[in-house]
Amino acid sequence: MTTRTPAPRRRDAAGTRQLLLDAARRRFAADGYAATTVREIADEAGVNVALINRYFTSKEGLFEACLTGAVDELGRTVAADVTLAEVPHAIARQLAGPHVGQHPSLLVLLLRSSGDERADEIRRGILRSFAESLATAAGRRPGDDKLLLRAQIALSAALGIALLRSTATMEPLASAGEQELLEPLQDLISGLLARR
């Protein structure tokens, strides 16, 4: 009688890493850094909790990786070649994009404090950079703090929309699609950032 041993499960480091990132983004955005445990993240990802340390060193490292991913996505929203007219389209896509239903907007993740100074410094840097890119798209010149303030207010409004869509059941905001969000965002961006 021959016993058959099952074939070893094939390892997919990149796939496992992505599962952890997706689960962590959902948890951190929904529950915040402090209330989220690495066990919950690993369970949701369907992997061993020890893999968080293997791929990210710590909970803080995983949070930083989530923020870095947010930078990449948001960087595409206001890239150097994006015009001011394109910004509302990019923000509407981010707010109503394919992440809806899977996890809250990455914009919400940027509102979450980690309690870890390094991770919070990265988060603040991302927000500052995003506002500066938005002001640059509007034609900001060095030292133009009025336009930077207006860009920060526009960013605050986008973050507020993301937060309300993910935590409140305010209708029609919570279920608005990209097209429904676009016109008010165009009015907001134009009103705040278009040159007078």
Side-chain angles (χ1 to χ4, degrees):
M1 182 165 158
T2 319
T3 55
R4 235 180 147 118
T5 56
R9 201 169 94 188
R10 192 169 171 186
R11 292 184 184 187
D12 178 9
T16 300
R17 190 176 196 286
Q18 191 60 50
L19 286 171
L20 285 166
L21 278 170
D22 291 344
R25 282 179 178 175
R26 282 189 296 273
R27 288 290 184 163
F28 288 142
D31 302 332
Y33 179 85
T36 300
T37 68
V38 290
R39 169 84 46 211
E40 290 168 334
I41 293 168
D43 288 349
E44 187 170 322
V47 302
N48 186 305
V49 71
L51 293 175
I52 290 175
N53 285 342
R54 175 182 290 172
Y55 295 120
F56 302 101
T57 310
S58 64
K59 179 180 171 182
E60 291 82 6
L62 180 54
F63 187 73
E64 287 183 36
C66 290
L67 291 178
T68 301
V71 172
D72 295 342
E73 283 197 35
L74 294 175
R76 290 189 292 272
T77 302
V78 183
D81 58 346
V82 172
T83 67
L84 188 60
E86 295 169 319
V87 168
H89 294 272
I91 293 173
R93 267 192 311 277
Q94 174 64 32
L95 289 169
H99 59 274
V100 173
Q102 296 173 5
H103 56 84
S105 170
L106 289 177
L107 292 172
V108 175
L109 184 62
L110 292 174
L111 295 173
R112 297 294 190 175
S113 176
S114 72
D116 176 76
E117 185 54 38
R118 171 81 175 110
D120 285 343
E121 182 180 316
I122 290 171
R123 181 181 56 80
R124 287 188 301 268
I126 292 166
L127 292 170
R128 191 171 27 257
S129 174
F130 188 81
E132 289 170 357
S133 295
L134 190 54
T136 298
R140 177 183 184 233
R141 292 186 177 34
D144 186 351
D145 286 343
K146 286 184 180 180
L147 195 53
L148 180 58
L149 174 62
R150 290 175 163 273
Q152 290 171 345
I153 291 170
L155 173 60
S156 298
L159 291 168
I161 293 167
L163 184 62
L164 286 174
R165 283 174 60 90
S166 70
T167 61
T169 54
M170 287 179 49
E171 290 297 341
L173 182 64
S175 61
E178 184 176 336
Q179 288 307 308
E180 289 88 11
L181 292 170
L182 182 58
E183 185 179 345
L185 284 169
Q186 287 172 322
D187 291 345
L188 175 74
I189 299 298
S190 174
L192 282 170
L193 297 173
R195 288 280 185 197
R196 292 177 165 70

